[in-house]
Structure formats: C-alpha cells, structure tokens
Amino acid sequence: MSPHPPPAAVRPSPEDRLAEAVPRVRQYLAGLLDDYRPRYAHLRPALERLVADGRRTPLECALPLLVHGAIEGSLEPAVPVAGVHALWWRAANTFDDVSDGDLGSRLLYGGDPGAVLTAALECGYALPLRALAALPVSAPLRERLTADFLDGWTAACDGQVGDILGSPTGTSPEEVLTVYRHKSGSVYAMAATMAARLALGADGADDPRAAAWGEFGQAVGLLAQFRNDEDDLRSGHNEDLGNRTATYLLVQLLHSAPEAARERAVELLGRAAESAADRRQLAAMMLDPEVLVPYQRFLADIHQHAHALLESLAPDSPFTACLHRRVDDEVRTTAYAIAPAGPHGAHCTLPPGPVVPVTRVRDRSGQKV
C-alpha cells in the first residue's frame, strides 16, 4: 500500500461545467430536428440549415444554464430551456436580418429567403412549443413554462414592432424604455424565469423567486440592448442614426437639449441616411456630457440592481459569480465610465458564439443575447 494518499479530485470550475453543457444543447436541438424525419421532408432540411447556419447570438445558451445552476447546482436539467432560448433567437435574428435590408434575389444563410423565413417561424414558435410539451415534468409546471415562453414571445414581438415603427422625434424616453423592456428585456426574462421555475420545481405555483429571477433577466436584457446601441456609436458606422432608429440616447438628446440644439439635432437626423458627416456630428451631440452623464447614471442603477438581485437570490452558488460577471460584461462600454466595476473580478470565460460572417446584413434593431 502506498504511504501517500491519492490526490484529491479537482472539481471542475463553473466555467468548465458550462463549457461541457453547451454541446449538449446542440445535441438536444439535433434530436428535436430528428423528430421531423421523414414526415416533414421539405421543412426539416430548411430547419437544419437555419439552426446550423443562421446568425447566432453570443452566449445564447449561457443564461438559462447559469440561472438553473445558481439555484439547484446542476446545469443539465436546463438544457431544454437553453435549447428553446437558442431557437427563439435563431428565428428572431432571421426576421431581424430580413427587416434590416433588401435581400432581393440573394440567398439568406445559404438558402432561399422565403424558405428560410418559413423555417424561422417554425424554429421560433412551433418547435419550442413541441420541446416544452415533451418535458418530463408535471402538467401544471409544463403549462407555466409554456405560458412563460408565450408571454416572452408576444412581448418581444410588441417591442420589435414598436422599434420598427417608432420615430425619434415622436417618441418619449419612457416609450423607448418600454420598447427595450419588451424587445430585449422580455427575452432574457423569459429564459431566466423558465430556468428558475424548472429549478425550483413548483408545480406551476407562482413562486415569487421565479418572478425575481425574471426581473434579473430583464435587467440583463436592458443592459444588453444599451450596450448594443453603444456598440453602433463606437464603431463609427452609426447605422442606427442612418436608419432613424429611436434609440434611448438619441431620444434623450431630443427631449433634454435646449431648443437650438434640438433643432440642430433634428436637422442632422434628417440628413443622416445619406451623410456620414452628419451622422458623426449627431453622434457627438449624443455623447456630450450633459446628455451622457444622466444616461450613465441610469445604466449604473440598472447594473447595481441586477447585482443586488443576484445577492438576494443565490448568494452562495459558484454559478452566481459567473452571472455577476455576465452583468459586468454588459456595462463595459461608455456607461462603464461611471458604473462600478463590480465586486466579482475579471470576466467569466464563457463559450463564445461563432464568428458572424462578414457578408451578413448588420442589425438594425439591436437584437442580441
């Protein structure tokens, strides 16, 4: 017998466990598509192409897995919810790409645009509902999960339509926030609520903890939308201005600036679609300290609220640290000049999404996870 005891097993880190769980989500999606054989011979290949080649959202699987892990300690039971979340985003990004530009006769993700759009409707709606219907949980819990999904779907559609139809000069900052809460916040809230409800195991009861996790998800979704807006400004493309998108910072400028500055901003906005120079001037007005500092403070409040929710909901889980850092990742932008760095150290290393092809139509509306 050896005089030395065997070395203690090294427990995988939360990041390692997440990296192991993400491929299981892909396997789960492949299994869902296998169920379409051979009955739906035309639809199945189009769905497979969309799931494989459609535009993915970074970290689209991470949020539901981490929320479940923070509550219950394991990631694997949340794989179906992560799959549902990924399917929703694949469909939403497809419709987003089509609304962003004139495809003409060009292919979409390597396929016929009409076929891909039809597959996107199935991918984002019917296929997730089929997945939820097959969950091995109690009927009341299954009904609640389905309601969470449908509520998130409808709210996101409402927000997206509001984004498309909104006018910067005819929209208030409060109305833009409502659009953001629906368009992006509701999707994150949907994922977090479903994962929490599954982890808590209540048979459809309205557990206040599930609602609180949904509130956390909505806060992360809001931060993600704001970061996406800022990404466009920092890139120098200013495509939101060219498209006259009613972003929060632009609307805040139009509502808070003195009359002369507001008139100048409206004038620049009117020429923004054709003039890169006018877009740059308008972006500079949006980043003026008098406009930016109140905006930064507003984002800092959301950022701190998300951290406070995590501290109250799952203070001791190792997965909670990943969620804290996920929140911090969403404010490492111009807002980060005032938002605190957070007490949780460096970024959590999460499995990245695939590189977006350079030929892809750029986002108009800022759909992202």
Side-chain angles (χ1 to χ4, degrees), residues 91 93 133-134 173 192-193 206 219 253 263 272 288 300 334 352-354 357:
N93 286 338
T193 302
D206 286 322
L253 166 66
E263 291 177 355
D288 182 273
T334 57

Side-chain angles (χ1 to χ4, degrees), residues 28-188:
Y28 174 78
L29 293 177
L32 290 178
L33 295 175
D34 278 343
D35 290 341
Y36 278 65
R37 302 173 186 267
R39 186 176 180 183
Y40 305 112
H42 300 293
L43 178 59
R44 180 186 53 76
L47 278 171
E48 289 177 339
R49 179 190 298 273
L50 179 60
V51 172
D53 300 329
R55 176 163 62 92
R56 302 187 184 191
T57 293
L59 312 176
E60 62 189 0
C61 299
L63 181 63
L65 294 173
L66 290 174
V67 168
H68 193 282
I71 299 169
E72 194 265 346
S74 63
L75 305 181
E76 288 73 14
V79 163
V81 172
V84 165
H85 195 220
L87 290 171
W88 189 95
W89 276 110
R90 201 73 84 256
N93 286 338
T94 301
F95 287 109
D96 209 37
D97 284 346
V98 171
S99 70
D100 284 349
D102 180 14
L103 289 173
S105 60
R106 292 186 291 118
L107 297 179
L108 177 62
Y109 309 146
D112 177 83
V116 174
L117 279 173
T118 304
L121 181 60
E122 180 77 12
C123 179
Y125 193 72
L127 187 54
L129 289 178
R130 291 179 185 276
L132 294 174
L135 284 178
V137 298
S138 68
L141 179 55
R142 190 180 304 113
E143 291 173 4
R144 288 297 305 178
L145 293 170
T146 301
D148 292 334
F149 173 77
L150 291 174
D151 288 345
W153 172 278
T154 302
C157 288
D158 177 80
Q160 188 70 359
V161 171
D163 177 67
I164 292 170
L165 300 180
S167 165
T169 56
T171 303
S172 70
E174 292 74 19
E175 289 170 329
V176 176
L177 284 178
T178 297
V179 167
Y180 282 14
R181 288 189 182 99
H182 284 188
K183 183 179 70 168
S184 296
S186 67
V187 184
Y188 288 74

Side-chain angles (χ1 to χ4, degrees), residues 12-31:
S13 69
E15 292 88 346
D16 289 339
R17 294 175 65 185
L18 180 62
E20 292 174 357
V22 168
R24 295 173 188 168
V25 178
R26 300 192 185 105
Q27 294 169 4
Y28 174 78
L29 293 177

Side-chain angles (χ1 to χ4, degrees), residues 262-345:
R262 183 185 186 280
E263 291 177 355
R264 175 61 175 162
V266 171
E267 178 184 351
L268 292 170
L269 182 62
R271 299 194 299 262
E274 292 78 28
S275 172
D278 287 327
R279 291 196 296 273
R280 287 193 296 270
Q281 290 185 50
L282 184 53
M285 294 181 70
M286 293 164 63
L287 297 176
D288 182 273
E290 290 190 2
V291 179
L292 191 60
V293 170
Y295 164 80
Q296 291 172 328
R297 289 175 178 153
F298 174 66
L299 262 64
D301 288 342
I302 301 174
H303 175 229
Q304 292 167 5
H305 180 57
H307 280 308
L309 283 168
L310 286 175
E311 290 294 347
S312 66
L313 289 168
D316 300 322
S317 170
F319 292 106
T320 304
C322 284
L323 288 167
H324 277 297
R325 292 190 289 268
R326 178 74 178 90
V327 172
D328 286 344
D329 282 347
E330 295 298 351
V331 294
R332 297 181 188 276
T333 59
T334 57
Y336 195 65
I338 194 167
H344 306 286

